[in-house]
Amino acid sequence: MADPEGFLRFEYRRRDGLHCYVVRADEAGLPGPAWSGLWEQDYSEDRALNPWWRHGINNSDGEALAVWRALAWALTAGMTRFATPAYYRDEAAGLLGVDRETVRLVRWEYEVDLEQPDWLTADVGFVPARACVPLRPPPDPWERDHAGFAGLFELAGFQHLTDLDLAISGDATSELTLFALRGPDRADSLAAALNQNHRPRLADILQAGDIFVDLAVVRDLGAGPASYFTVKTPEATDDVDRLADHFSRSFRRYIERVRQIRTFDEFHTAIDSLLASPHTTG
């Protein structure tokens, strides 16, 4: 595998008053599943032992996407994390065990348009939110009345981030946006900013020490030229490159040892090590 950690190599840009760190990973740059057992062995019905439900990894969505989520989690350690999963709001609530009517609703969500050829044009910014309204069975009144809202979910742990990604993984592309905020009691102000009448500016939302992360992923070939891992901060930081280097080295070690993995138990142990943050908490 040539340059296996290219999907963790960030470029720096300055845009709209924010420091931006971006990975552009095309089909060749985002490695697919590496462990052969993901095709050859039967998955357990126990979600704790099933690689899809436990890690968001199967024979289509490989280890690299899980590493992206782990990096996003490590980057936001010690902060209060809120996420908006694009389109599949109610599915996300179900996986988190949350009643849909208790979800904090917002009118604006972030978009990176994966049909565009490069990040500068793909990075659209905030757009009016929309949620899935099923055709069959027919939508109920609540679904119809709330089709123009995204869900803003507070994340209590890394598994919640994985669950949100599982909720949005069924389409050709997916997008998951993470707001990591310093200081207590920021949920109401964030929701207010995402519910205003005029299009929000991310630079107006983020305060010193906050971090914004967006994971926009091409899951089916031909759905877009590339996936993007975007980080934006009000202040320059070396944490992005430092943590990317940590996961790059972890991924290389995993690739070097993957042929030695024989069972799902060994796979889970290897993935837990691969996704482990260098932080002791958070």
Side-chain angles (χ1 to χ4, degrees):
M1 181 184 298
D3 192 22
E5 303 97 62
F7 72 104
L8 292 168
R9 195 156 293 123
F10 286 84
E11 294 184 0
Y12 172 80
R13 298 177 183 271
R14 179 86 168 152
R15 192 178 198 194
D16 297 331
L18 295 171
H19 300 270
C20 307
Y21 307 84
V22 182
V23 173
R24 182 185 188 277
D26 61 15
E27 177 187 348
L30 192 62
W35 182 49
S36 60
L38 294 168
W39 290 273
E40 298 168 354
Q41 300 190 26
D42 294 331
Y43 292 18
S44 173
E45 294 184 2
D46 184 342
R47 290 194 175 194
L49 302 176
N50 185 303
W52 178 241
W53 295 110
R54 177 166 169 170
H55 305 294
I57 298 172
N58 60 12
N59 58 11
S60 177
D61 289 348
E63 300 91 337
L65 291 179
V67 171
W68 266 14
R69 292 193 298 274
L71 173 54
W73 195 255
L75 277 169
T76 58
M79 290 180 270
T80 306
R81 303 169 173 105
F82 301 91
T84 53
Y87 197 56
Y88 291 104
R89 177 197 65 217
D90 296 347
E91 289 78 358
L95 282 178
L96 294 182
V98 176
D99 189 311
R100 68 181 184 179
E101 297 185 17
T102 67
V103 173
R104 191 183 295 268
L105 300 177
V106 294
R107 295 180 180 274
W108 297 93
E109 62 186 354
Y110 206 87
E111 181 180 356
V112 174
D113 183 355
L114 294 177
E115 293 184 357
Q116 300 303 315
D118 56 61
W119 181 79
L120 286 175
T121 52
D123 184 46
V124 175
F126 288 104
V127 298
R130 63 190 185 99
C132 177
V133 177
L135 297 176
R136 294 182 182 176
D140 59 39
W142 193 93
E143 289 170 322
R144 290 195 299 269
D145 292 345
H146 296 87
F149 293 89
L152 183 65
F153 298 89
E154 184 168 357
L155 305 183
F158 180 59
Q159 186 60 48
H160 280 181
L161 185 64
T162 299
D163 289 341
L164 291 188
D165 196 58
L166 293 176
I168 62 176
S169 64
D171 278 351
T173 65
S174 68
E175 187 161 8
L176 182 57
T177 303
L178 186 62
F179 301 88
L181 308 181
R182 294 281 185 191
D185 304 323
R186 299 273 306 278
D188 289 343
S189 62
L190 175 60
L194 297 178
N195 273 314
Q196 61 185 292
N197 291 330
H198 301 290
R199 183 187 185 197
R201 289 183 68 251
L202 185 60
D204 294 334
I205 295 174
L206 299 182
Q207 300 178 9
D210 293 346
I211 296 177
F212 168 90
V213 179
D214 186 271
L215 303 177
V217 177
V218 175
R219 295 183 182 264
D220 288 350
L221 298 181
S227 300
Y228 292 98
F229 188 128
T230 302
V231 180
K232 297 190 176 186
T233 62
E235 304 160 317
T237 177
D238 61 2
D239 286 348
V240 176
D241 286 338
R242 178 178 60 82
L243 289 169
D245 181 65
H246 163 81
F247 284 105
S248 180
R249 287 184 279 109
S250 294
F251 188 75
R252 182 172 289 276
R253 288 194 297 269
Y254 172 78
I255 292 299
E256 290 172 349
R257 300 170 184 171
V258 70
R259 293 181 180 228
Q260 301 172 18
I261 299 173
R262 296 290 179 262
T263 68
F264 272 119
D265 283 342
E266 293 176 356
F267 176 75
H268 294 318
T269 298
I271 295 300
D272 288 340
S273 177
L274 170 62
L275 304 184
S277 168
H279 304 295
T280 56
T281 60

